[in-house]
mmCIF file of all heavy atoms in Angstrom:
data_model
loop_
_atom_site.group_PDB
_atom_site.id
_atom_site.type_symbol
_atom_site.label_atom_id
_atom_site.label_comp_id
_atom_site.label_asym_id
_atom_site.label_seq_id
_atom_site.Cartn_x
_atom_site.Cartn_y
_atom_site.Cartn_z
ATOM 1 N N GLY A 201 -8.639 8.486 12.101
ATOM 2 C CA GLY A 201 -7.796 7.777 11.031
ATOM 3 C C GLY A 201 -6.626 8.361 10.515
ATOM 4 O O GLY A 201 -5.987 7.895 9.614
ATOM 5 N N PHE A 202 -6.152 9.596 11.006
ATOM 6 C CA PHE A 202 -4.947 10.101 10.549
ATOM 7 C C PHE A 202 -3.689 9.393 11.126
ATOM 8 O O PHE A 202 -3.832 8.675 12.087
ATOM 9 C CB PHE A 202 -4.767 11.654 10.873
ATOM 10 C CG PHE A 202 -5.001 11.995 12.259
ATOM 11 C CD1 PHE A 202 -4.020 11.895 13.194
ATOM 12 C CD2 PHE A 202 -6.246 12.391 12.765
ATOM 13 C CE1 PHE A 202 -4.132 12.251 14.514
ATOM 14 C CE2 PHE A 202 -6.445 12.810 14.089
ATOM 15 C CZ PHE A 202 -5.373 12.667 15.044
ATOM 16 N N ALA A 203 -2.574 9.528 10.447
ATOM 17 C CA ALA A 203 -1.387 8.908 10.870
ATOM 18 C C ALA A 203 -0.572 9.896 11.702
ATOM 19 O O ALA A 203 -0.904 11.081 11.610
ATOM 20 C CB ALA A 203 -0.528 8.416 9.754
ATOM 21 N N ILE A 204 0.317 9.349 12.575
ATOM 22 C CA ILE A 204 1.117 10.233 13.471
ATOM 23 C C ILE A 204 2.579 9.928 13.340
ATOM 24 O O ILE A 204 2.998 8.703 13.395
ATOM 25 C CB ILE A 204 0.687 10.158 14.975
ATOM 26 C CG1 ILE A 204 -0.727 10.759 15.143
ATOM 27 C CG2 ILE A 204 1.687 10.807 15.841
ATOM 28 C CD1 ILE A 204 -1.265 10.773 16.618
ATOM 29 N N LEU A 205 3.352 11.026 13.127
ATOM 30 C CA LEU A 205 4.877 10.663 13.248
ATOM 31 C C LEU A 205 5.272 11.648 14.481
ATOM 32 O O LEU A 205 5.073 12.750 14.556
ATOM 33 C CB LEU A 205 5.557 11.219 11.984
ATOM 34 C CG LEU A 205 7.098 11.083 11.987
ATOM 35 C CD1 LEU A 205 7.588 9.684 12.108
ATOM 36 C CD2 LEU A 205 7.690 11.700 10.698
ATOM 37 N N LEU A 206 5.716 10.820 15.421
ATOM 38 C CA LEU A 206 5.972 11.423 16.845
ATOM 39 C C LEU A 206 7.512 11.551 17.118
ATOM 40 O O LEU A 206 8.224 10.499 17.206
ATOM 41 C CB LEU A 206 5.312 10.496 17.882
ATOM 42 C CG LEU A 206 5.609 10.843 19.249
ATOM 43 C CD1 LEU A 206 4.845 12.127 19.811
ATOM 44 C CD2 LEU A 206 5.190 9.610 20.135
ATOM 45 N N VAL A 207 7.973 12.775 17.393
ATOM 46 C CA VAL A 207 9.317 12.842 17.927
ATOM 47 C C VAL A 207 9.153 13.038 19.421
ATOM 48 O O VAL A 207 8.402 13.823 19.863
ATOM 49 C CB VAL A 207 10.047 14.141 17.430
ATOM 50 C CG1 VAL A 207 11.192 14.498 18.215
ATOM 51 C CG2 VAL A 207 10.549 13.798 15.905
ATOM 52 N N GLU A 208 9.860 12.253 20.209
ATOM 53 C CA GLU A 208 9.720 12.225 21.703
ATOM 54 C C GLU A 208 11.001 11.816 22.406
ATOM 55 O O GLU A 208 11.581 10.804 21.953
ATOM 56 C CB GLU A 208 8.556 11.265 21.996
ATOM 57 C CG GLU A 208 7.558 11.612 22.978
ATOM 58 C CD GLU A 208 7.599 12.854 23.789
ATOM 59 O OE1 GLU A 208 8.458 13.014 24.702
ATOM 60 O OE2 GLU A 208 6.775 13.779 23.726
ATOM 61 N N HIS A 209 11.322 12.437 23.490
ATOM 62 C CA HIS A 209 12.370 12.024 24.296
ATOM 63 C C HIS A 209 11.918 10.995 25.371
ATOM 64 O O HIS A 209 12.680 10.271 25.998
ATOM 65 C CB HIS A 209 13.143 13.176 24.983
ATOM 66 C CG HIS A 209 14.039 13.901 24.072
ATOM 67 N ND1 HIS A 209 15.239 13.318 23.585
ATOM 68 C CD2 HIS A 209 13.934 15.046 23.409
ATOM 69 C CE1 HIS A 209 15.772 14.032 22.782
ATOM 70 N NE2 HIS A 209 15.115 15.194 22.669
ATOM 71 N N ASP A 210 10.679 11.113 25.718
ATOM 72 C CA ASP A 210 10.021 10.174 26.733
ATOM 73 C C ASP A 210 9.839 8.779 26.147
ATOM 74 O O ASP A 210 8.930 8.561 25.420
ATOM 75 C CB ASP A 210 8.703 10.853 27.148
ATOM 76 C CG ASP A 210 8.038 10.108 28.239
ATOM 77 O OD1 ASP A 210 8.260 8.830 28.433
ATOM 78 O OD2 ASP A 210 7.100 10.595 29.039
ATOM 79 N N VAL A 211 10.774 7.902 26.475
ATOM 80 C CA VAL A 211 10.806 6.517 25.915
ATOM 81 C C VAL A 211 9.528 5.758 26.188
ATOM 82 O O VAL A 211 9.003 5.037 25.439
ATOM 83 C CB VAL A 211 12.060 5.859 26.381
ATOM 84 C CG1 VAL A 211 12.098 4.488 25.798
ATOM 85 C CG2 VAL A 211 13.306 6.621 25.830
ATOM 86 N N GLU A 212 9.001 5.986 27.446
ATOM 87 C CA GLU A 212 7.820 5.180 27.817
ATOM 88 C C GLU A 212 6.596 5.641 26.903
ATOM 89 O O GLU A 212 5.864 4.845 26.523
ATOM 90 C CB GLU A 212 7.462 5.646 29.306
ATOM 91 C CG GLU A 212 8.051 4.778 30.371
ATOM 92 C CD GLU A 212 7.654 5.138 31.677
ATOM 93 O OE1 GLU A 212 6.388 5.441 31.956
ATOM 94 O OE2 GLU A 212 8.525 5.254 32.586
ATOM 95 N N PHE A 213 6.553 6.953 26.705
ATOM 96 C CA PHE A 213 5.499 7.404 25.742
ATOM 97 C C PHE A 213 5.676 6.788 24.398
ATOM 98 O O PHE A 213 4.727 6.188 23.762
ATOM 99 C CB PHE A 213 5.611 9.002 25.610
ATOM 100 C CG PHE A 213 4.566 9.735 24.888
ATOM 101 C CD1 PHE A 213 4.645 11.091 24.942
ATOM 102 C CD2 PHE A 213 3.544 9.129 24.229
ATOM 103 C CE1 PHE A 213 3.581 11.905 24.210
ATOM 104 C CE2 PHE A 213 2.600 9.799 23.472
ATOM 105 C CZ PHE A 213 2.586 11.188 23.547
ATOM 106 N N VAL A 214 6.847 6.755 23.839
ATOM 107 C CA VAL A 214 7.163 6.191 22.545
ATOM 108 C C VAL A 214 6.754 4.617 22.555
ATOM 109 O O VAL A 214 6.143 4.237 21.639
ATOM 110 C CB VAL A 214 8.624 6.379 22.177
ATOM 111 C CG1 VAL A 214 8.979 5.614 20.801
ATOM 112 C CG2 VAL A 214 8.939 7.870 21.945
ATOM 113 N N ALA A 215 7.162 4.036 23.700
ATOM 114 C CA ALA A 215 6.835 2.522 23.754
ATOM 115 C C ALA A 215 5.440 2.280 23.752
ATOM 116 O O ALA A 215 4.914 1.379 23.177
ATOM 117 C CB ALA A 215 7.616 2.027 24.987
ATOM 118 N N ALA A 216 4.735 3.108 24.516
ATOM 119 C CA ALA A 216 3.310 2.872 24.675
ATOM 120 C C ALA A 216 2.433 3.313 23.560
ATOM 121 O O ALA A 216 1.349 2.776 23.261
ATOM 122 C CB ALA A 216 2.799 3.521 25.913
ATOM 123 N N PHE A 217 2.973 4.315 22.800
ATOM 124 C CA PHE A 217 2.028 5.013 21.813
ATOM 125 C C PHE A 217 2.359 4.565 20.439
ATOM 126 O O PHE A 217 1.467 4.526 19.548
ATOM 127 C CB PHE A 217 2.371 6.492 21.916
ATOM 128 C CG PHE A 217 1.413 7.319 21.140
ATOM 129 C CD1 PHE A 217 0.037 7.562 21.582
ATOM 130 C CD2 PHE A 217 1.710 7.962 19.941
ATOM 131 C CE1 PHE A 217 -0.830 8.306 20.836
ATOM 132 C CE2 PHE A 217 0.813 8.776 19.311
ATOM 133 C CZ PHE A 217 -0.421 8.943 19.738
ATOM 134 N N THR A 218 3.565 4.284 19.991
ATOM 135 C CA THR A 218 3.936 3.950 18.620
ATOM 136 C C THR A 218 3.954 2.451 18.274
ATOM 137 O O THR A 218 4.189 1.602 19.132
ATOM 138 C CB THR A 218 5.186 4.627 18.224
ATOM 139 O OG1 THR A 218 6.293 4.040 18.881
ATOM 140 C CG2 THR A 218 5.126 6.086 18.456
ATOM 141 N N GLN A 219 3.638 2.114 17.093
ATOM 142 C CA GLN A 219 3.717 0.736 16.587
ATOM 143 C C GLN A 219 5.125 0.452 16.018
ATOM 144 O O GLN A 219 5.680 -0.610 16.306
ATOM 145 C CB GLN A 219 2.598 0.593 15.485
ATOM 146 C CG GLN A 219 1.250 0.841 16.096
ATOM 147 C CD GLN A 219 0.338 1.374 14.978
ATOM 148 O OE1 GLN A 219 0.637 2.180 14.157
ATOM 149 N NE2 GLN A 219 -0.945 0.974 15.104
ATOM 150 N N ARG A 220 5.606 1.377 15.300
ATOM 151 C CA ARG A 220 6.996 1.253 14.761
ATOM 152 C C ARG A 220 7.783 2.461 15.046
ATOM 153 O O ARG A 220 7.186 3.535 15.453
ATOM 154 C CB ARG A 220 6.970 1.182 13.204
ATOM 155 C CG ARG A 220 6.553 -0.197 12.692
ATOM 156 C CD ARG A 220 6.703 -0.269 11.084
ATOM 157 N NE ARG A 220 6.170 0.911 10.401
ATOM 158 C CZ ARG A 220 6.924 1.719 9.715
ATOM 159 N NH1 ARG A 220 8.226 1.586 9.596
ATOM 160 N NH2 ARG A 220 6.336 2.708 9.103
ATOM 161 N N CYS A 221 9.098 2.396 15.090
ATOM 162 C CA CYS A 221 9.926 3.631 15.179
ATOM 163 C C CYS A 221 11.221 3.602 14.454
ATOM 164 O O CYS A 221 11.662 2.548 13.997
ATOM 165 C CB CYS A 221 10.140 3.997 16.694
ATOM 166 S SG CYS A 221 11.302 3.078 17.450
ATOM 167 N N TYR A 222 11.763 4.755 14.231
ATOM 168 C CA TYR A 222 13.011 5.020 13.546
ATOM 169 C C TYR A 222 13.913 5.636 14.586
ATOM 170 O O TYR A 222 13.465 6.467 15.370
ATOM 171 C CB TYR A 222 12.784 5.877 12.384
ATOM 172 C CG TYR A 222 12.082 5.274 11.167
ATOM 173 C CD1 TYR A 222 10.682 5.390 11.127
ATOM 174 C CD2 TYR A 222 12.731 4.709 10.143
ATOM 175 C CE1 TYR A 222 9.916 4.851 10.179
ATOM 176 C CE2 TYR A 222 11.962 4.106 9.009
ATOM 177 C CZ TYR A 222 10.644 4.196 9.028
ATOM 178 O OH TYR A 222 9.897 3.671 8.068
#
Side-chain angles (χ1 to χ4, degrees):
F202 52 84
I204 290 182
L205 181 59
L206 171 76
V207 163
E208 224 348 296
H209 282 291
D210 182 336
V211 177
E212 274 181 39
F213 188 172
V214 174
F217 191 75
T218 66
Q219 298 147 325
R220 282 191 310 119
C221 80
Y222 292 85

